Amino acid sequence: MRMKFLPAFAVVLAISACADKDKNAGDTSGMGNGSDVGHIGGGVNSNGVQPGTEQDLAQNVGDRVRFETNHSDLTTEARATLDRQAAWLKKYGNLTVTVEGHCDERGTREYNLALGERRAEAAKRYLVASGIPANRIQTVSYGKERPEVAGSDEQAWAQNRRAVTVVN
Amino acid sequence: MKIAAFLILSLFACILPAHAEMHLDITNPNVEPMPIAVTDFFGGAGQESQVGHQIAQVVSADLASSGLFKPIDPAAFAQTSDALRQGPHFADWKVLNVQALVSGTVTAQGDGRLRVEFRLWDVLGEGQMAGMAYTTQPANWRRIAHIIADTIYQRITGETGYFDTRVVYVAESGPYQKRVKRLAIMDQDGFNTRYLSDGSNLVLTPRFSPTVAEITYMAYVNNHPRVYLQNIDSGRRELLIDLPGMTFAPRFSPDGNKVILSLAQNGASNLYVMDLRTRQTRQLTSDQSISTAPCYSPDGTKVAFESDRGGSQQIYTMNADGSGVKRISFGSGKATYANPVWSPRGDLIAFTKISGGTFYIGVIKPDGTGEREITEGYDVEGPTWAPNGRVLAYFKENPSGPGGRERTAKLYSIDITGQNERQLPTQGDASDPAWSPLIP
């Protein structure tokens, strides 16, 4: 049940993230929140985002993958996202990135630091196996210190178990 | 912040015969708190009598916080502090059902220092149980009070006290998704709080050196999480190990000469120990699992740690050289165990357990028997021992605010009997406590 639920949930997230970022950036290009949906995975710059930027990665490629509780295995959904990231990183060969590993709050502090590192390394390994030079990818673990969403239920915890690729 | 050396004298006017002494059995969870009268220490001029009053208040609060003593209302006292200088009228205190009586004096010396004398009286046995005198700078009056409280605690329970101690912790502020974390240190009763970092870097898991002069902790400097050493008084900070990867979960060895920690590289976290004198690093575990939260036994011969090498996070012990690894936590169902912390007495290991979505603080014997839960909550974590091994502190984090979208984190202490849970006063939210040894 949970596995089926997650991908749909991730799309909703991507939409809300777009809306937030547009607001934060003071973007007045007239792109409506709803219209962003059609651009996910589509051509760059059609939604007013500078190509080859972190915003481009987040909105048009997908900058984060999710994990099951206490696991660092890459799901089918995660591998698809990382495939798109690898293609994007090949296109912008001068960029370097950091993969940030995160955990939900239902583990202890030290274990979560280690688990976050393991998740970030799992994502990095996949990108390297996809042809991205290892020296373009750093990793850092934030354990449970930087949750993506506030909340104290399974939905929030699932969203917080993630590896996020950010442009250096 | 240097504490001047105390001049300590014993004042044994008359020693009670051993059979007459009062005693509290603190291993009994149902022990009745002992009624005690802590009178203001007599002082002449303004400062003397004011300090005398304050010392009595701190001694009284320390003893009450242990849950083992019940200070009686000063309004009921049978004698004034002045009159007590001639000795107690035991009969007048007996009718108040007081078992122990504390009296003292504060006298300014010619050199500006204060001489503080105190005496502990056994009311039923009609004799003096302890008497000490301390000479110190007036600014140290709180430490004098804590030392007196420790002396009383030890004389009556037979166990070492834990009041002249500090707690280093992580002070938290800001929204849940972007907490600001600062290193903070305070006396165990919440006074004399000082911040040891400014919040610009995320900091976690501070631990004291045995001399209470230094701390080791993990900090994100330039977003690179690594272990640092910091001198508490000078604030001087140094990177402990400059290796690729994340270093975390540091803890001093009992002799203070080593720091044991985890190094995460390529998805595995292994245990390392650095000798602070030679700067040599030695690897203790070597596999693809997560091994972390290492802690030495008080004699330094063994290490307890958590690892998921067996498939789930459990507690293991091993010899200090990495040999003889043995799993000691099993539990039922899918329970996971973390944060093993060896008692200063060596008899127990405190831990955090997660089972069925609930966090527990518990203790287990080093051989894996006698597991016992002490407290539980949404997130209770990070146990740390008072130096006498009778009391634990930890932090408790709970959802708060509308929709549970924020977090409240506070420090607590609790007897290992499971009794007397108390919040440690902090100025704001707090986590990751470490309780110091008795201050040297």
Side-chain angles (χ1 to χ4, degrees), chain A residues 105 109 141 144-145 151, chain B residues 176-177 181 220 378 381 407:
Chain A
E105 65 179 0
R109 184 153 349 268
S141 172
K144 59 175 171 177
E145 305 306 314
Chain B
Y176 173 50
Q177 286 143 286
K181 297 199 171 189
Y220 286 73
Y378 178 82
E381 234 183 290
R407 290 294 177 276

Side-chain angles (χ1 to χ4, degrees), chain B residues 66 153 162 384-393 413-416 435:
Chain B
S66 74
Y153 181 99
Y162 55 88
T384 178
W385 291 92
N388 70 357
R390 294 291 182 196
V391 182
L392 285 167
S413 66
I414 193 167
D415 287 6
I416 57 169
W435 206 324

Side-chain angles (χ1 to χ4, degrees), chain A residues 32-104:
Chain A
N33 292 344
S35 68
D36 286 352
V37 178
H39 296 286
I40 292 175
V44 293
N45 211 12
S46 56
N47 58 353
V49 171
Q50 184 75 30
T53 61
E54 184 164 333
Q55 205 181 355
D56 183 24
L57 178 65
Q59 293 191 27
N60 299 320
V61 178
D63 65 348
R64 58 200 62 200
V65 297
R66 314 281 172 191
F67 298 88
E68 288 297 294
T69 300
N70 278 348
H71 279 85
S72 58
D73 308 332
L74 297 171
T75 62
T76 309
E77 173 78 8
R79 288 196 296 272
T81 301
L82 291 169
D83 284 338
R84 292 198 302 276
Q85 287 188 11
W88 187 83
L89 284 166
K90 282 172 188 165
K91 185 172 178 182
Y92 301 102
N94 59 326
L95 295 182
T96 62
V97 294
T98 298
V99 182
E100 301 175 347
H102 298 271
C103 302
D104 66 35

Side-chain angles (χ1 to χ4, degrees), chain B residues 77-414:
Chain B
F77 287 171
Q79 284 178 280
T80 65
S81 300
D82 193 4
L84 274 168
R85 288 195 289 166
Q86 312 307 320
H89 295 143
F90 291 111
D92 297 342
W93 293 97
K94 267 183 216 172
V95 300
L96 303 173
N97 290 319
V98 171
Q99 290 184 52
L101 170 65
V102 178
S103 66
T105 60
V106 177
T107 315
Q109 307 286 94
D111 58 6
R113 294 190 300 170
L114 293 179
R115 177 183 164 87
V116 180
E117 283 184 28
F118 99 95
R119 293 172 198 272
L120 170 65
W121 307 94
D122 180 344
V123 173
L124 302 181
E126 299 200 357
Q128 181 177 320
M129 286 186 81
M132 304 281 261
Y134 311 87
T135 304
T136 187
Q137 299 298 327
N140 286 336
W141 69 268
R142 279 193 162 274
R143 279 205 62 196
I144 296 295
H146 293 313
I147 290 168
I148 290 170
D150 281 331
T151 305
I152 295 166
Y153 181 99
Q154 176 161 18
R155 198 71 182 86
I156 293 178
T157 68
E159 302 279 344
T160 310
Y162 55 88
F163 303 119
D164 186 29
T165 55
R166 294 187 180 134
V167 175
V168 65
Y169 63 97
V170 171
E172 299 192 9
S173 58
Y176 173 50
Q177 286 143 286
K178 210 171 169 26
R179 285 293 242 190
V180 174
K181 297 199 171 189
R182 304 169 68 187
L183 296 168
I185 188 170
M186 66 181 187
D187 296 350
Q188 54 78 26
D189 61 352
F191 284 83
N192 292 325
T193 297
R194 278 197 299 145
Y195 294 95
L196 306 178
S197 73
D198 62 9
S200 55
N201 298 318
L202 180 61
V203 291
L204 300 171
T205 63
R207 312 291 180 212
F208 279 112
S209 71
T211 61
V212 201
E214 286 186 306
I215 51 172
T216 182
Y217 58 96
M218 189 247 231
Y220 286 73
V221 178
N222 300 320
N223 277 339
H224 194 171
R226 291 189 289 188
V227 167
Y228 290 82
L229 285 178
Q230 184 165 323
N231 183 283
I232 293 171
D233 284 343
S234 74
R236 197 174 64 85
R237 181 181 77 184
E238 74 177 288
L239 179 66
L240 188 65
I241 299 177
D242 192 8
L243 286 173
M246 168 175 69
T247 49
F248 62 111
R251 208 179 275 276
F252 282 95
S253 61
D255 63 9
N257 289 330
K258 298 188 278 289
V259 171
I260 191 168
L261 48 71
S262 278
L263 170 66
Q265 279 178 325
N266 305 317
S269 290
N270 279 294
L271 300 180
Y272 288 72
V273 59
M274 170 174 264
D275 190 309
L276 298 173
R277 298 160 301 182
T278 63
R279 297 277 147 176
Q280 295 294 307
T281 302
R282 177 171 176 187
Q283 186 167 359
L284 297 177
T285 67
S286 182
D287 57 53
Q288 287 306 302
S289 68
I290 290 172
S291 294
T292 189
C295 175
Y296 280 100
S297 61
D299 65 4
T301 62
K302 295 202 176 285
V303 172
F305 63 101
E306 63 179 76
S307 177
D308 66 357
R309 61 184 61 196
S312 74
Q313 186 190 8
Q314 300 292 336
I315 296 172
Y316 294 77
T317 59
M318 65 182 180
N319 297 321
D321 65 0
S323 67
V325 176
K326 182 182 168 226
R327 177 172 163 181
I328 66 162
S329 70
F330 292 91
S332 56
K334 289 182 173 176
T336 60
Y337 292 75
N339 297 152
V341 189
W342 222 300
S343 158
R345 303 165 68 93
D347 58 342
L348 294 170
I349 293 172
F351 59 78
T352 302
K353 175 166 86 171
I354 305 172
S355 179
T358 298
F359 283 55
Y360 301 84
I361 301 288
V363 293
I364 192 169
K365 290 180 186 166
D367 67 2
T369 65
E371 179 184 336
R372 194 155 55 82
E373 291 162 7
I374 289 178
T375 188
E376 64 178 84
Y378 178 82
D379 180 356
V380 290
E381 234 183 290
T384 178
W385 291 92
N388 70 357
R390 294 291 182 196
V391 182
L392 285 167
Y394 57 95
F395 75 92
K396 191 187 284 195
E397 190 171 302
N398 279 305
S400 62
R405 297 172 66 81
E406 292 302 333
R407 290 294 177 276
T408 300
K410 300 291 181 193
L411 308 185
Y412 287 80
S413 66
I414 193 167

